[in-house]
Amino acid sequence: MLDSRPDGTSRREVRANIVAVAARLLHDAGPAAVTTRAVAQAAGVQAPTIYRLFGDKDGLLDAVAEQVFATYVAEKSLVAGTGDPLEDLHRGWHAHIGFGLANPALFGLLTDPARGTRSPAAAAGLEVLRARVHRVAEIGRLRVTERRAIDLIHAAGTGVVLTLLAAAPADRDLEVSDAMYDTVMRAILTDVPALADDGPIAAAVAFRTVVPELELLTDHERALLSEWLDRAARG
């Protein structure tokens, strides 16, 4: 159980306070400042409380990432989609870049390969990207496979943030972000919906999105059709 709180603070409140304290330490002083002892002292709890709530320091940092990003997204009104898959993809790109620049220490931790397994917060972000890319594929606008599109967007977005963070704030060329986005879009998008101009690769990508819904086919047939379409989409 958690250490007793004479003021009657609930478990949820204790957890939220610890996350807020860790986020403040990370923002103000960087990753080295986020030690279990420092967070516990600043939050007014015993160190074992942090382990019981978060497992370890990485678990605490993942909770910080989820909270900070959720707050950022809510403040930027990026939660609801616009109904336009291409616009939603563009908004998602700007959210990714903006979050990285506003939270350099946290972004560095989330993209650090030395941490080993990908954090739940980073994985959740990729799931959002996958869903947005899938909607673009559904309207026939992808000229590459969904996986290739996701990998290109993710790699480019991460690279842009790290490149900009490497420069002093006054020296950052923010137009690099728009230029990179345009470059990636030219590589993955068709000019018009694939089914309108009979583009074979984009049509294969678009058709691939509905294969799981073809209930008349067996699981084996759907898997085989998916494999053929993936092969066609790779050109």
Side-chain angles (χ1 to χ4, degrees), residues 186-206:
R186 284 195 295 270
I188 70 173
L189 295 180
T190 61
D191 292 332
V192 294
L195 299 183
D197 68 355
D198 202 29
I201 293 179
V205 174

Side-chain angles (χ1 to χ4, degrees), residues 1-3 11 14-15 18 34-41 43 45-61:
M1 296 181 62
L2 291 176
D3 51 333
R11 178 187 179 95
V14 171
R15 188 181 190 280
I18 292 172
V34 188
T35 65
T36 301
R37 176 177 296 181
V39 173
Q41 182 176 1
V45 300
Q46 299 297 316
T49 300
I50 294 178
Y51 291 108
R52 285 194 289 269
L53 284 172
F54 303 98
D56 55 19
K57 179 179 174 179
D58 278 347
L60 173 58
L61 290 172

Side-chain angles (χ1 to χ4, degrees), residues 65-79:
E66 292 171 6
Q67 175 62 34
V68 173
F69 188 69
T71 301
Y72 178 85
V73 169
E75 290 176 349
K76 296 296 182 181
S77 302
L78 296 170
V79 177

Side-chain angles (χ1 to χ4, degrees), residues 104-121:
L106 185 55
F107 189 85
L109 287 172
L110 292 176
T111 56
D112 182 3
R115 290 190 71 201
T117 57
R118 175 173 288 141
S119 75

